[in-house]
Amino acid sequence: MFHLIRAGISGGKTVPEQVAENPLVFATVTAPSFGTVHTRRNGRRCHPTSRGRCEHGEPRSCHAMHAEDDPQLGQPLCGDCYDYASHVVWQWWAPDLWRRFTIALRRLFAHALGVPATRLGEVATVQYAKVAEYQLRGAIHFHALVRLDGPKTAGGFEPAPDGLDADQLALLIREAAASVRLTVPGVDVDDPARVLAFGRQLDARAVRTDRRTDDPDRTLSPEQVAAYLAKYATKSADDTGATDTAHHARIRATVRALDDRAKRAGHDGYELLSKWSHMLGFRGHFATKSRRYSITLGTIRRSRRRAQALLAQAKEDGTPVDLAALEADLLADDDDETTLVLGRWEFVGAGWHTDGERTLALAAAARAREYAREKAQQNKAKTQHNSGGRS
Ligand SMILES: [Zn+2]
Ligand SMILES: [Zn+2]
């Protein structure tokens, strides 16, 4: 994953190195607030300014300076004030909200480049790699690398058009994230339709590959970004952080309750919601990328398998293998996967792994056919015998 992300930032592994010249932005979009939760604020107190108690008798303020491993972090100050239903509904629709965001982004880029959105592909394409990560409060947020490439071609990775640098790109990304809205139905007639948006806490900053920048606060190095994204993408997909808290249990219970209500009401849009209760209602992929962001993870895995086979071969023959020289060859043979999905599950192929397995399977199939034929003949004989007996 690190190599895949790294190649999309500065080239390598068959991705042309000039891709590093194209404007690149690292963006984080979050979920909105569904209620006040305990937080860490860089040496400041949790929620010192609110006063009094809520209608459930819980204090509205918290003067603690929570430690990094404080189990209270991410837990609501009052569970009854926390809007669990909206949390679950937002999480359920988050993949659609993201899609809406990428559409808004393309529109803004097209406008900035002076072309109609429908003809953006003639001058530029938007490539991205994104990962979803659970925050302590059980809401996911997205980290994404967004890169502006040149016109759509079979090979991809074209030089970016003039007129948009990474800082302008970052501005447009922030604008798109702040403006995107998605209206979704309630789970039943008693549940209101909701207008979903991303949280106000959003970040988009240029990634510099040339290191000539003087502003380290607003920029990130490719290594920082790749390491950061790879870390989250390779967490297992059902790792929702601290899953044993009362807050997480209540989110899961809300998922099941809303699923029940949607089923009873026969409302569309919430099918299989309860299937995702262990994911706190998030049904999206944990790592995805556009087709021409970089090479695919499958390609890297295949090349690694082939390299291992070559190493074994070389060991047997007693000849050295030049892996660096082989890399280009190994990576050249690329199937066009369009989406990268990470988690515990991986489709490694159909059919038989080895010739031995294949032989066994063919033999088993032949035996099964033979058995079926024998059975059929026996049945036929029986039928003939029976009908013979009746006549
Ligand atoms: Zn607190
Ligand atoms: Zn309350």
Side-chain angles (χ1 to χ4, degrees):
M1 188 67 192
F2 175 85
H3 290 296
L4 181 152
I5 291 165
R6 186 71 173 76
I9 297 171
S10 35
K13 307 226 175 246
T14 74
V15 176
E17 269 166 30
Q18 62 91 37
V19 85
E21 312 277 315
N22 291 350
L24 181 71
V25 168
F26 182 62
T28 299
V29 290
T30 59
S33 170
F34 306 108
T36 313
V37 297
H38 294 284
T39 38
R40 260 170 77 78
R41 305 176 184 274
N42 290 330
R44 287 187 290 135
R45 294 180 187 284
C46 178
H47 291 288
T49 53
S50 309
R51 288 183 197 286
R53 290 178 180 269
C54 71
E55 57 180 298
H56 312 100
E58 298 291 337
R60 289 187 201 275
S61 60
C62 172
H63 296 274
M65 294 217 314
H66 297 289
E68 209 171 331
D69 57 351
D70 190 331
Q72 274 203 301
L73 286 173
Q75 304 279 304
L77 268 65
C78 173
D80 292 328
C81 282
Y82 193 90
D83 186 357
Y84 284 95
S86 292
H87 179 141
V88 167
V89 167
W90 187 92
Q91 196 112 295
W92 178 247
W93 294 99
D96 297 82
L97 195 61
W98 171 267
R99 196 160 51 237
R100 196 58 74 88
F101 164 66
T102 61
I103 293 167
L105 211 53
R106 287 190 175 87
R107 245 181 236 141
L108 284 178
F109 289 173
H111 186 253
L113 290 166
V115 293
T118 49
R119 292 177 55 196
L120 179 64
E122 292 171 27
V123 291
T125 55
V126 184
Q127 304 297 337
Y128 69 87
K130 85 166 199 297
V131 302
E133 182 208 353
Y134 285 97
Q135 295 174 292
L136 283 171
R137 60 178 167 135
I140 56 127
H141 60 187
F142 295 115
H143 298 295
L145 273 169
V146 182
R147 194 182 68 219
L148 189 71
D149 284 3
K152 204 176 201 165
T153 57
F157 310 111
E158 298 294 324
D162 291 334
L164 268 183
D165 64 18
D167 292 320
Q168 289 165 305
L169 216 58
L171 272 177
L172 294 177
I173 289 168
R174 261 176 265 159
E175 189 182 328
S179 70
V180 68
R181 298 286 182 273
L182 177 68
T183 306
V184 300
V187 294
D188 59 19
V189 285
D190 297 324
D191 191 39
R194 291 175 178 85
V195 180
L196 306 184
F198 286 117
R200 269 177 299 178
Q201 193 195 346
L202 62 94
D203 187 47
R205 61 178 75 183
V207 179
R208 306 278 183 217
T209 47
D210 57 13
R211 300 174 178 281
R212 278 179 306 211
T213 174
D214 303 323
D215 184 3
D217 285 348
R218 292 307 301 168
T219 60
L220 294 157
S221 76
E223 284 80 8
Q224 280 175 308
V225 173
Y228 193 61
L229 276 186
K231 181 180 139 206
Y232 290 116
T234 47
K235 273 195 199 172
S236 76
D238 55 2
D239 181 2
T240 54
T243 52
D244 53 348
T245 69
H247 178 55
H248 285 69
R250 198 152 169 184
I251 296 171
R252 288 194 292 271
T254 306
V255 168
R256 291 189 293 269
L258 290 180
D259 180 80
D260 249 26
R261 283 171 60 180
K263 264 191 209 129
R264 257 182 279 129
H267 267 209
D268 289 341
Y270 294 92
E271 290 82 7
L272 301 178
L273 172 58
S274 67
K275 203 184 131 211
W276 301 95
S277 68
H278 63 299
M279 311 288 264
L280 310 180
F282 180 61
R283 55 177 158 160
H285 297 313
F286 279 81
T288 51
K289 65 174 196 61
S290 58
R291 193 167 141 230
R292 290 294 175 203
Y293 166 73
S294 175
I295 53 166
T296 66
L297 204 65
T299 307
I300 294 179
R301 287 202 187 112
R302 264 196 304 283
S303 71
R304 203 168 284 161
R305 277 200 294 274
R306 269 180 277 177
Q308 275 160 1
L310 283 165
L311 271 174
Q313 180 77 46
K315 213 169 158 190
E316 244 179 62
D317 303 348
T319 54
V321 174
D322 183 356
L323 281 182
L326 281 171
E327 191 187 59
D329 275 358
L330 290 167
L331 294 177
D333 177 21
D334 185 2
D335 296 345
D336 256 333
E337 290 171 346
T338 52
T339 310
L340 157 74
V341 182
L342 282 184
R344 284 212 181 131
W345 300 97
E346 181 197 352
F347 181 70
V348 289
W352 308 107
H353 209 55
T354 63
D355 283 347
E357 277 181 16
R358 190 180 133 85
T359 310
L360 282 175
L362 288 175
R367 275 200 302 279
R369 271 197 302 277
E370 211 169 319
Y371 176 76
R373 210 177 302 134
E374 271 173 25
K375 199 88 182 154
Q377 272 167 1
Q378 278 171 11
N379 285 343
K380 208 167 149 195
K382 222 181 281 171
T383 318
Q384 278 170 350
H385 177 81
N386 286 350
S387 54
R390 268 202 295 274
S391 63

